[in-house]
Amino acid sequence: MLGLVYNEILKVVRKKRFYVVLAILAVLIPVFTYAQYKTTVEQQERLGTKDWRIIVQQEIVDLQNRLTSARLSDEWRRLLQIRLQQRQYYLEHDINPLAPGAVTFARVFLERSASLFVPLLVVVVAADMVSGEHTGGTIKLLLTRPVRRWKILLSKYLALQLFVSLIIAVTVLLAYLISGVVFGYGGWTMPVLTGFQVTGEGVLTDRVHVLPQGLYLLMQAGLVWYATAVVATLSFLLSVLLRSTAAAMGTMLSALIAGVILTEMVSSWQTAKYLFVVNLQLTDYLAGNAPPIEGMTLPFSLAVLGVWGAAALLAAFWVFTRQDMLT
Amino acid sequence: MYRPGIIALGMVALVLTLVWAGGFAFAVYDVVSAHPPAAPPERPSSAISPGSDTAIRLVGLGDSLTRGAGDPEGLGYLGRLRQQVAEARKQPVYVHNLAVNGYRSDQLLNRLRTEPAFRQTVARADLITLSIGGNDLRVAAQETGVDLAHAQRVFDETLVRVVQIVTELRAINPRAPIVYVGLYNPYARWPEGEAITALIERWNAEVAARTAHIPNVAVVPLVDVFRFHLDEYLAVDRFHPNDAGYAAIAERLWQVVR
């Protein structure tokens, strides 16, 4: 079995898809770093200060100004109010939520990429796992070996999950290393507030507590890992079903992008919370952002994602062990 | 036959998987489990960050006039005043615009009394500009229409609060000049325009009279600035000043504070 997994890792490395992922990250992270840098500098110039208290205070005033607009939708108003209350909490407890530093950048970057960017990178690898064998015609060679089909599929799946872990690690590592050139490599022990509970009325702060940012980053990566593993499993199923890398990738891509659009729109469509794409932003529960649909909780999202993943995995094995490979 | 590079990659990936699983477990535990209320972290002994710089700080408080509503350039009078001060003094000038659109005197007074960060910013100011009261009066006028007794009551109450605000500002910051930016009359062309102008003139004069005993306070009435230039100075909403209007206000304030 280990030999089979080794083979599958070797195949992924040979196909250079993992390098594509690395290249995407190596190009995009400097772009985001620069954007973040410009934002920080511009903010400091406009306010004429580097004092974060004044920047946060200005944010509070800006939020209050936006809240006075009569044309604000109720969802937006609630969102802005939550952000306002959090900012006030930070100010009152003298914690800088914007402290520059590579760890902060990595944390924010991972949070922003949790529901689309990291899953997309994983899809690049996952969509090819099985269908690549069809396209290359190597599937017959593979299946004529005296190994049970389910073992072959399992080795592919395990290799894929190893690459999921690698991709998340590389994302965090590159974000840290590249942004550190500009922002400095500090910030591991900076206190981050977590435990905001979003309710219909606003934010409860009685369970708010402080974590060092390094630990927060690890927890965040763990949540991203879980969500991404489920996306990888679904892509894996599509790769088995569609036998074409492009089709599998396209399908998964549109599902993910549709998910991003849906999360903006679904707040009144209750049953949409059973779709996996709406549940991908697990980091929201950690950061205390409002979930896309009221009443969604972390255990709920984990369960939904888990059911989707398990069903996809079962379906993949069921189909793969029965498929007629000659066509 | 196995390539050590690939085996190492697999091992690293396996370890990472365990690491992420650990982080995941930690995160779930942290979100789901009940935490005792956190003790607030200790505040540093000096709540104000080191003011080692020699910059001039302008602090704007109040309503949309100070906010700069209607200015397509988003500077407002405060941003333009900053440019003038910076040019004349050859020093960095920081602007802290804490004004909120639609603010009334009770909201500002409450904030000034309860929000420590707000007070800190005021305490460090080198110049404080303030525009407040206009929304109180306008809302009262729209609500009551003809009820003159009620309008007079709101007028008096607001006046008291404005004086309280200025007193509070003086207590927080004994040093910086305070400039009260008076009201102008955007409705001068209305049939009731003359009556409103009279009211606003009375308001500006009352604020000046009632704050006369507080040191280092100036009231700048704007009725005169806008009197002959209404079309020129008003934004498309016919209520807030436009960029030319804000430039005129900044010019007027510069004459006062330079």
Side-chain angles (χ1 to χ4, degrees):
Chain A
M1 192 69 216
L2 278 176
L4 286 173
V5 176
Y6 168 87
N7 268 342
E8 293 304 330
I9 296 177
L10 187 65
K11 276 187 213 164
V12 175
V13 173
R14 283 238 174 101
K15 279 193 165 168
K16 304 203 166 50
R17 283 177 178 269
F18 188 55
Y19 297 123
V20 171
V21 170
L22 290 184
I24 293 173
L25 284 168
V27 170
L28 282 182
I29 290 175
V31 172
F32 288 124
T33 304
Y34 184 71
Q36 178 66 43
Y37 171 73
K38 288 303 273 186
T39 316
T40 316
V41 167
E42 201 213 347
Q43 208 169 27
Q44 284 172 358
E45 265 172 16
R46 203 173 54 229
L47 298 170
T49 181
K50 290 185 176 176
D51 186 347
W52 68 267
R53 287 181 198 83
I54 288 162
I55 292 176
V56 170
Q57 197 178 46
Q58 192 66 60
E59 270 182 7
I60 290 175
V61 173
D62 288 346
L63 284 169
Q64 281 173 332
N65 272 307
R66 286 168 70 184
L67 280 170
T68 56
S69 165
R71 285 178 296 126
L72 220 53
S73 75
D74 282 349
E75 282 105 63
W76 256 108
R77 189 176 299 277
R78 210 162 65 84
L79 223 74
L80 290 181
Q81 265 159 355
I82 289 166
R83 217 179 291 165
L84 182 74
Q85 280 167 306
Q86 285 181 352
R87 290 280 177 277
Q88 268 163 349
Y89 193 94
Y90 281 120
L91 204 59
E92 276 162 27
H93 291 76
D94 213 54
I95 292 170
N96 181 0
L98 320 155
V103 184
T104 308
F105 180 88
R107 170 171 67 89
V108 174
F109 182 74
L110 191 64
E111 189 183 321
R112 299 278 161 81
S113 13
S115 62
L116 188 60
F117 187 56
V118 172
L120 281 184
L121 295 179
V122 166
V123 169
V124 171
V125 174
D128 194 50
M129 287 307 283
V130 179
S131 57
E133 306 274 3
H134 286 282
T135 324
T138 47
I139 187 81
K140 287 168 201 164
L141 281 172
L142 189 68
L143 293 183
T144 47
R145 290 169 59 182
V147 184
R148 305 284 299 270
R149 274 191 185 188
W150 67 266
K151 274 193 169 179
I152 289 174
L153 195 67
L154 185 62
S155 67
K156 280 182 178 297
Y157 184 71
L158 291 178
L160 172 62
Q161 290 302 349
L162 289 178
F163 273 98
V164 168
S165 297
L166 277 177
I167 286 172
I168 290 169
V170 166
T171 307
V172 174
L173 196 68
L174 283 182
Y176 177 68
L177 291 179
I178 295 176
S179 69
V181 175
V182 180
F183 300 120
Y185 290 100
W188 288 103
T189 53
M190 191 190 96
V192 179
L193 290 179
T194 180
F196 294 101
Q197 287 166 285
V198 182
T199 64
E201 293 303 301
V203 188
L204 295 182
T205 52
D206 57 329
R207 268 166 60 175
V208 167
H209 53 284
V210 177
L211 290 176
Q213 188 165 233
L215 183 61
Y216 188 93
L217 183 63
L218 176 70
M219 289 158 65
Q220 212 180 32
L223 291 175
V224 173
W225 169 75
Y226 183 86
T228 312
V230 170
V231 172
T233 310
L234 290 167
S235 315
F236 192 68
L237 170 65
L238 287 177
S239 185
V240 170
L241 288 179
L242 297 175
R243 301 190 187 188
S244 146
T245 308
M249 216 184 275
T251 312
M252 210 54 210
L253 228 130
S254 19
L256 288 171
I257 291 172
V260 172
I261 301 170
L262 263 181
T263 42
E264 306 282 321
M265 294 167 56
V266 289
S267 64
S268 47
W269 175 25
Q270 281 290 326
T271 42
K273 63 186 176 187
Y274 297 109
L275 297 173
F276 79 95
V277 279
V278 178
N279 288 288
L280 287 179
Q281 191 73 38
L282 294 175
T283 54
D284 272 355
Y285 299 111
L286 205 55
N289 299 330
I293 298 169
E294 217 175 300
M296 283 168 63
T297 61
L298 179 67
F300 174 83
S301 286
L302 293 181
V304 169
L305 289 175
V307 168
W308 276 82
L313 196 59
L314 279 178
F317 274 90
W318 196 77
V319 171
F320 191 77
T321 46
R322 279 163 181 73
Q323 229 168 13
D324 182 3
M325 292 301 173
L326 292 172
T327 47
Chain B
M1 248 331 263
Y2 290 136
R3 281 163 49 181
I6 299 296
I7 291 177
L9 192 72
M11 287 301 187
V12 170
L14 192 62
V15 171
L16 284 171
T17 309
L18 295 176
V19 170
W20 299 146
F24 172 73
F26 222 132
V28 173
Y29 171 77
D30 195 89
V31 172
V32 172
S33 70
H35 276 272
E42 280 178 40
R43 287 159 190 261
S45 53
S46 162
I48 303 164
S49 41
S52 54
D53 47 63
T54 54
I56 300 171
R57 293 166 194 274
L58 311 184
V59 172
L61 305 170
D63 52 26
S64 54
L65 185 65
T66 301
R67 183 78 223 156
D71 185 351
E73 291 168 47
L75 288 170
Y77 72 78
L78 212 52
R80 290 162 212 275
L81 187 64
R82 173 197 167 170
Q83 291 169 351
Q84 269 173 319
V85 175
E87 222 168 274
R89 299 286 288 271
K90 304 267 182 281
Q91 264 174 295
V93 180
Y94 299 167
V95 164
H96 307 307
N97 195 336
L98 303 181
V100 179
N101 291 333
Y103 240 31
R104 294 184 315 271
S105 58
D106 54 321
Q107 293 168 308
L108 178 59
L109 187 61
N110 181 38
R111 193 134 180 241
L112 208 49
R113 281 178 172 164
T114 56
E115 207 174 292
F118 209 80
R119 296 169 67 92
Q120 282 165 24
T121 308
V122 170
R124 287 195 290 164
D126 296 305
L127 171 69
I128 300 165
T129 68
L130 166 70
S131 66
I132 198 78
N135 290 313
D136 304 62
L137 298 183
R138 193 165 52 87
V139 170
Q142 281 165 357
E143 273 171 5
T144 60
V146 286
D147 186 353
L148 286 175
H150 176 73
Q152 185 62 44
R153 202 164 59 241
V154 172
F155 186 99
D156 293 335
E157 284 168 5
T158 309
L159 198 55
V160 169
R161 274 198 296 269
V162 169
V163 175
Q164 281 173 334
I165 288 170
V166 177
T167 312
E168 189 76 34
L169 289 174
R170 185 75 303 153
I172 300 170
N173 185 332
R175 182 179 52 84
I178 299 171
V179 178
Y180 179 83
V181 181
L183 303 182
Y184 61 94
N185 185 4
Y187 309 122
R189 296 278 171 69
W190 288 17
E192 310 92 334
E194 283 166 26
I196 297 172
T197 301
L199 181 82
I200 287 173
E201 292 276 21
R202 196 157 66 82
W203 168 265
N204 290 342
E206 282 284 347
V207 174
R210 303 252 186 127
T211 55
H213 68 282
I214 304 169
N216 223 358
V217 176
V219 174
V220 179
L222 291 181
V223 179
D224 51 345
V225 176
F226 281 76
R227 189 76 187 99
F228 304 126
H229 302 281
L230 218 49
D231 292 331
E232 223 177 297
Y233 286 173
L234 282 192
V236 280
D237 61 1
R238 304 298 294 166
F239 179 66
H240 291 109
N242 59 15
D243 44 347
Y246 280 116
I249 298 174
E251 184 64 33
R252 182 82 180 79
L253 292 179
W254 176 236
Q255 288 168 0
V256 175
V257 299
R258 70 177 167 197

